[in-house]
Amino acid sequence: MINLEVPKKFKPLVSQAHQVATEVFRPISRKYDVAEHEYPKELDMLAALIDGMNEGSDLGGAGASGVRRSASDKDSGANRNGTNLSTVLSIIELCWGDVGLLLSMPRQGLGNSAIASVASDEQLARYEGRWAAMAITEPEAGSDSASIRTTAVLDGDSYVLNGEKIYVTSGERADLIVVWATLDRSKGRAAIKSFVVERSNPGLKLDRLEHKLGIRASDTAAFRLEDCRVPKDDMLGSPDVDVKEGFAGAMQTFDNTRPLVAGMAVGLTRACLEEARRRLDEAHVPIDYDAPALTQPAAAARFLEMEADYDAAYLLTLQAAWMADNGKPNSLQASMAKAKAGRTCVEVALGCVELCGSLGYAENDLLEKWARDAKILDIFEGTQQIQLLIIARLLLGKTSAELR
Ligand SMILES: Cc1cc2nc3c(=O)[nH]c(=O)nc-3n(C[C@H](O)[C@H](O)[C@H](O)COP(=O)(O)OP(=O)(O)OC[C@H]3O[C@@H](n4cnc5c(N)ncnc54)[C@H](O)[C@@H]3O)c2cc1C
């Protein structure tokens, strides 16, 4: 087991996040798993507290909105004061508590990360304090986000959006939805832009909320956009269709958000391992870190194997976030972290259920719930297979047209 010490300056943030996970998330975890679609009102007060923490701190945020860059950071490509790292560390703690509740935290949406990554300073100021969801996926465009069909047509001072968006996390509760749409389908990836749409926009019509396997505390919405008018100033990034730049602007968001989702998976994995360890201790199964796994009881050997995977996922996640903070291109490491952490959390959650037998399968404990919550972390922000594809492209120097 590798014990990397948390940097001293981040310790208070990590300890506060852990306290929130223990005292707020865990006690209501099962409640909102059962009461799907009910808003976890306990989070309002917490969100206000976190806003206060973020305002008083120059260390970055406690949730997804923490990935913010100042103008000078943007020029250098770096994030000051380890914003990504502190955000990942606090997300790990909060998801040790509950992933669905973290995703339900007001003003901490993945849309907030998109805004923080690519919005102009004027836009950043305008959207400050708003909760933003992210709408990329469509019925005909999931993994292949370049094939989205939602269109944006300039008409005077507005863009008019038409299309369909599905699986929008926090789509019902957020104030804003960051919608991906194409200016011209014939121009491919380069024409895809993101637009910040007010949730109250009459052209944005909520179709339904999904019923899900896991993360039931988090709402997942499907929308239709019908002649949805969005002021020109609410487009993120440049309106130019630069075929050379292609998807680069939009993809920059993923370099920041994938380590965060990896952090969610790491937090959930640790929760499962700790619970399984408690059960093994109760059953008097010794775990010896100085002896080869094969010489130990089968349950201990299995546990050690899962813990090694956890360590690898944790270290890759910290590396990806650290690189973003230090202005180093991290697309490869962000995908590696997301792939390893997503896969590990599914395997470990099920492995821990298996180790604990019927106790792991019962609803009295949270292991059963964590095994259901885990799967989404290997699906959204790019599935396992898509991360492996991106890693292969980057390592082999192939374009998306060459390796698909
Ligand atoms: C609970 C939940 C919340 C979500 N939240 C959001 C959100 O907030 N915003 C948003 O925009 N989207 C969101 N999504 C959508 C999510 O990002 C997509 O489900 C995901 O990108 C996969 O797309 P898909 O479901 O269309 O699957 P598909 O793309 O149809 O893929 C199906 C399977 O085929 C595999 N596959 C696809 N292409 C390839 C390939 N080239 N090579 C090998 N394998 C491949 C995939 O890995 C997957 O296993 C959410 C989804 C869920 C379930």
Side-chain angles (χ1 to χ4, degrees), residues 355-374:
L355 272 187
C356 298
S358 54
L359 293 174
Y361 198 69
E363 287 191 357
N364 319 9
D365 272 356
L366 288 171
L367 259 183
E368 170 272 340
K369 176 181 178 297
W370 293 335
R372 288 187 284 107
D373 287 349

Side-chain angles (χ1 to χ4, degrees), residues 91-113:
I91 280 181
I92 291 174
E93 294 310 315
L94 292 168
C95 288
W96 171 90
D98 192 289
V99 176
L101 289 169
L102 171 85
L103 290 168
S104 307
M105 290 274 290
R107 298 179 286 286
Q108 311 295 328
L110 287 174
N112 289 99
S113 287

